[in-house]
Amino acid sequence: MLFAHTDLTGNWDTGKENTLVKIFEKEGVYFGEIASSDNPEAEIGKQIIKDLMHENGKWKGQLYAAKKKKWVNAVMELEDDTLKITIK
């Protein structure tokens, strides 16, 4: 679960090791990359969210699962100032 403000774009705190993920929009599609982290294994600038688009009140796209070392389908929903992520 990521914590931040109600706007999807910007920096989101993952709640782990002071890791921030920057979500940005390009031509109507959203992407996310690691902006900063105290985790020495985190790759700053690495893309971890891709092809995120708004569909039926939810954001659907791909999330990089570092432990599995692969991209997985994900649904993201804004609730107040929290971005809830569900892996599909």
Side-chain angles (χ1 to χ4, degrees), residues 4 10-11 27 29 41 77 80 83 88:
N11 291 325
E27 298 178 9
V29 181
E41 295 181 23
E77 298 177 81
D80 298 320
L83 183 61
K88 296 287 181 177

Side-chain angles (χ1 to χ4, degrees), residues 1 3 5 7 9-10 12 16 27 34 39 41 48 50 52-54 56 65-66 70 72 76 84-86 88:
M1 193 179 304
F3 303 98
H5 40 76
D7 183 13
T9 60
W12 292 83
K16 295 182 180 180
E27 298 178 9
I34 299 172
N39 180 345
E41 295 181 23
I48 62 167
K50 67 179 184 178
L52 192 60
M53 293 184 283
H54 196 257
N56 302 322
K70 68 177 187 176
V72 295
M76 300 179 193
K84 295 179 73 175
I85 300 173
T86 305
K88 296 287 181 177

Side-chain angles (χ1 to χ4, degrees), residues 21-75:
V21 174
K22 179 181 179 181
I23 297 180
F24 57 94
E25 180 266 336
K26 184 177 179 183
E27 298 178 9
V29 181
Y30 291 77
F31 301 88
E33 60 188 33
I34 299 172
S36 64
S37 180
D38 289 343
N39 180 345
E41 295 181 23
E43 297 177 47
I44 306 304
K46 180 177 178 71
Q47 184 178 25
I48 62 167
I49 297 171
K50 67 179 184 178
D51 302 330
L52 192 60
M53 293 184 283
H54 196 257
E55 295 179 19
N56 302 322
K58 298 179 183 180
W59 295 90
K60 297 179 182 180
Q62 299 270 309
L63 176 73
Y64 186 72
K67 290 182 182 180
K68 295 180 180 182
K69 297 184 180 180
K70 68 177 187 176
W71 290 94
V72 295
N73 291 327
V75 174

